[in-house]
Amino acid sequence: MNESIKNEILSKIESYKKIIVSRHVRPDGDAIGSTKGLVKLLRDTYSDKSIYLVNEDYSDYLAFLGGEDAAPEDCSDALQIVLDTGTEDRISNSRFREAKEIIKIDHHIDDKPYGDISWVEDFRSSACEMVADFYVTHKDKLKMTPEAATYIYLGMVTDSGRFRYEGVTGETMRLAGALLDCGVDAQKLFANLYVDEFETLKLKSYVYDHIKITPNGVAYVYMDDAVQKKFNLTQEAASDVVGELSAIRGSLIWLAFIDNKAKNHIRVRLRSRFLGVKDLANNYHGGGHNMAAGATVYSKEEMQKLIDDADKLLGEYKKTHGGWL
């Protein structure tokens, strides 16, 4: 798919001596895996190039993967590659515009295009899937080590919900298999991702005890400032509790509201099964994928309005769709 643009990207990479790789703010597994994986892939292939992983926002959740680089003093002669980031305002590198050229590699809907070269495939399950495809297309020229493959596989696993979400195809699995063939230690990776600290289990217990359900089956939880302090949570860790709401029979929309006192707003994570929530998120200062989106509300009243709108959306869906579970 898109062979010509993948060839163009490789040609640009080969023509530059200095390359900077960045992702989005509040990074998830796909953002971190795609950038660290691409950087490792390029460093192992082109030992004569200066390749930097430059970001200004990090994730405690994936701290076991290691750190980042400082930006070079002069970026004017560099190629900037941005992964997994739909819009410029979410790029976690305030100096990205200083680069000579910018390449965008992303799997979000291309609402606000940017970059001198833009490779966007919104049907992909993850940006890491695109990096894996880029490698497979050019495997005669690129060197994939077990470390690089592990980073990329991590992003594919986390962004696809362990290959359960919409967007996973036979091609996704073939590319994941190609990475496994490169030496991914899946057992070690999963141990880091899915074995919880005891304190995390206490947090999950709190979430289960405070889930609320609307009449039509929207499950939601509110993580106020006091709860975040009690469990010593970052905003990202608090947002991740939305995943704990997904196993309730009859519930097809899940919402996590995360209080942000410092910025005077409430962050919202929206997830769904079978029906989309992207348009709902768009109505509340947000956006994202069809079944995984984010939004922001600025009061308890606006939060309740979002809950009511989600309940209405789910109610209408259930009236017109049968056999969904």
Side-chain angles (χ1 to χ4, degrees):
M1 302 176 189
N2 276 326
E3 298 300 313
S4 61
I5 197 167
K6 286 183 282 186
N7 290 336
E8 185 180 3
I9 289 172
L10 181 64
S11 179
K12 285 292 182 184
I13 288 171
E14 291 180 334
S15 69
Y16 275 84
K17 287 289 187 182
K18 186 185 295 180
I19 299 170
I20 301 169
V21 178
S22 302
R23 55 177 179 254
H24 61 73
V25 295
R26 298 196 297 266
D28 57 5
D30 189 29
I32 292 175
S34 61
T35 50
K36 291 183 79 71
L38 181 62
V39 165
K40 181 62 176 168
L41 177 68
L42 297 182
R43 284 174 175 168
D44 291 335
T45 303
Y46 304 106
S47 59
D48 60 328
K49 297 182 184 296
S50 297
I51 301 170
Y52 301 85
L53 178 61
V54 177
N55 295 282
E56 296 159 7
D57 199 6
Y58 311 99
S59 170
D60 293 339
Y61 158 58
L62 295 172
F64 69 92
L65 294 177
E68 315 273 311
D69 303 313
E73 290 186 12
D74 182 10
C75 302
S76 63
D77 57 345
L79 173 66
Q80 171 75 62
I81 303 176
V82 182
L83 293 104
D84 196 37
T85 310
T87 57
E88 287 185 326
D89 60 298
R90 298 199 71 232
I91 297 174
S92 181
N93 174 9
S94 59
R95 296 178 57 193
F96 76 94
R97 291 189 184 88
E98 296 178 21
K100 187 174 182 180
E101 290 186 280
I102 299 171
I103 294 175
K104 174 183 180 180
I105 301 175
D106 188 37
H107 71 124
H108 298 89
I109 295 172
D110 202 13
D111 291 328
K112 297 180 180 179
Y114 65 88
D116 301 286
I117 299 174
S118 179
W119 177 26
V120 177
E121 295 185 348
D122 58 27
F123 57 87
R124 295 283 193 178
S125 66
S126 64
C128 278
E129 181 179 334
M130 297 176 68
V131 176
D133 180 50
F134 180 74
Y135 160 69
V136 169
T137 300
H138 301 295
K139 64 187 305 180
D140 58 327
K141 296 182 178 180
L142 299 173
K143 181 180 180 182
M144 180 72 78
T145 61
E147 182 181 348
T150 297
Y151 292 140
I152 300 166
Y153 187 75
L154 174 146
M156 292 184 71
V157 167
T158 55
D159 232 37
S160 67
R162 284 180 270 186
F163 305 109
R164 295 179 294 124
Y165 295 162
E166 182 188 40
V168 173
T169 64
E171 179 68 2
T172 306
M173 304 308 291
R174 283 185 285 273
L175 290 168
L179 294 173
L180 288 169
D181 289 342
C182 291
V184 174
D185 186 342
Q187 291 301 308
K188 182 178 179 181
L189 177 63
F190 291 154
N192 276 288
L193 286 175
Y194 301 119
V195 174
D196 290 328
E197 300 288 346
F198 185 56
E199 289 302 312
T200 304
L201 297 179
K202 290 182 181 178
L203 169 63
K204 290 182 178 182
S205 177
Y206 172 88
V207 171
Y208 296 149
D209 198 41
H210 289 79
I211 295 172
K212 295 183 179 180
I213 308 288
T214 67
N216 287 308
V218 175
Y220 65 96
V221 65
Y222 175 54
M223 305 293 286
D224 64 21
D225 188 60
V227 171
Q228 293 176 57
K229 289 179 179 177
K230 176 181 178 180
F231 291 101
N232 194 28
L233 300 175
T234 63
Q235 284 277 301
E236 194 64 33
S239 299
D240 287 341
V241 304
V242 71
E244 304 304 322
L245 314 182
S246 64
I248 303 170
R249 188 176 297 277
S251 178
L252 304 181
I253 296 178
W254 323 298
L255 309 172
F257 295 94
I258 315 302
D259 199 14
N260 189 326
K261 291 287 187 185
K263 296 185 178 180
N264 198 32
H265 67 229
I266 301 170
R267 185 180 176 190
V268 191
R269 280 276 182 93
L270 303 90
R271 298 292 184 268
S272 64
R273 182 180 290 122
F274 302 129
L275 75 163
V277 290
K278 180 177 182 291
D279 290 342
L280 179 62
N282 286 339
N283 292 335
Y284 290 89
H285 324 288
H289 297 291
N290 199 32
M291 298 185 185
T296 304
V297 295
Y298 293 89
S299 66
K300 291 286 188 67
E301 291 75 20
E302 192 176 16
M303 181 176 81
Q304 186 58 54
K305 188 174 185 303
L306 192 160
I307 293 168
D308 293 342
D309 286 349
D311 184 66
K312 181 180 177 181
L313 177 66
L314 183 51
E316 291 173 350
Y317 180 86
K318 286 186 174 182
K319 286 177 183 178
T320 55
H321 293 77
W324 44 266
L325 192 63

